Amino acid sequence: MPLLPAGLDVCLSQHQQNLCIEYIDGLCSAAVYRWPVNKWVYGLKFGAKPECAKILGYFLAKQLEQHSWTVDHIASVPLSWIRYFNRGYNQSDLLLKEMLLYIHPLCDVGRHTSLYRDLIRHRHTQPQAKLNQQQRMDNVDKVFKCKTPIMGKRILLIDDVVTTAHTINQAARALKNAGATKVYVGCAALKILD
């Protein structure tokens, strides 16, 4: 299993140099995007295998328990309505739900938190996987917004896989523009680019 060391904050590691994390205060990932994790993420995202969220959610919960992040709300990265309609579900939502089942109730992430559903993707974008670094940045620029303010709140944002972090960075930007003081990110897999 290509699990990352427990408690690793990617923002403070050698991997951060390849990531766009301007608006992110901490990033943890359960594993590196290699076999078998890449097959589970692919199955969850594209293979209509939402049951893969159970395995990935478990490992993400165990990783998050090692962090001392205190959060007020948890949110998942939203899909465009077109992608949601085509897929039938949001893989980040499924991952979040499974992660919450496994996280220890005394962990700061699981205690006294509520779901924040007002982060939205207000326009459809191309899939990031087919784009180069600059195209990825342009593709998700200002694509997220918050329907309600979250003044002074600390948010944990859940996503399935982080490659360049452009998507989660833009989601974090929208959350901070809505008043969030801290945005932490938890993902199932970190895809490290050379």
Side-chain angles (χ1 to χ4, degrees):
M1 285 288 296
L3 295 177
L4 287 166
L8 174 71
D9 186 336
V10 178
C11 291
L12 304 175
S13 75
Q14 74 276 13
H15 304 302
Q16 63 85 22
Q17 64 189 359
N18 296 323
L19 299 175
C20 179
I21 53 174
E22 179 182 357
Y23 298 98
I24 298 167
D25 297 292
L27 167 62
C28 83
S29 177
V32 176
Y33 190 80
R34 291 197 309 250
W35 188 91
V37 175
N38 62 338
K39 297 298 179 198
W40 295 333
V41 170
Y42 188 87
L44 173 62
K45 198 167 189 166
F46 303 113
K49 294 182 180 178
E51 64 275 9
C52 293
K54 292 183 187 309
I55 299 167
L56 296 168
Y58 172 81
F59 288 117
L60 179 56
K62 297 304 137 197
Q63 180 65 271
L64 283 168
E65 287 174 353
Q66 302 303 311
H67 292 272
S68 59
W69 301 336
T70 300
V71 298
D72 302 300
H73 299 293
I74 303 175
S76 57
V77 174
L79 291 178
S80 72
W81 70 269
I82 294 171
R83 197 154 292 130
Y84 186 90
F85 179 79
N86 289 336
R87 195 170 293 162
Y89 59 89
N90 178 342
Q91 72 279 359
S92 296
D93 269 346
L94 292 179
L95 184 61
L96 183 154
K97 289 174 187 170
E98 292 297 332
M99 181 268 304
L100 286 175
L101 293 176
Y102 293 113
I103 202 148
H104 193 281
L106 295 180
C107 174
D108 283 336
V109 168
R111 186 175 30 171
H112 309 300
T113 58
S114 62
L115 294 180
Y116 179 74
R117 295 281 185 204
D118 287 346
L119 174 66
I120 61 167
R121 185 184 292 247
H122 64 93
R123 65 179 162 83
H124 182 67
T125 57
Q126 296 178 46
Q128 291 284 84
K130 299 176 182 180
L131 306 176
N132 67 33
Q133 192 66 275
Q134 184 62 48
Q135 290 169 328
R136 284 173 183 245
M137 193 180 319
D138 295 342
N139 190 42
V140 294
D141 185 44
K142 298 179 183 160
V143 73
F144 299 101
K145 65 180 179 180
C146 295
K147 295 191 295 186
T148 60
I150 44 174
M151 300 306 293
K153 301 297 184 184
R154 298 159 297 194
I155 310 294
L156 172 62
L157 186 61
I158 301 295
D159 203 4
D160 56 344
V161 62
V162 169
T163 305
T164 60
H166 291 303
T167 301
I168 58 170
N169 192 59
Q170 286 300 309
R173 178 184 187 181
L175 290 164
K176 287 198 170 176
N177 285 342
T181 56
K182 298 281 185 186
V183 178
Y184 303 106
V185 175
C187 67
L190 177 65
K191 188 173 184 182
I192 301 168
L193 297 178
D194 296 328

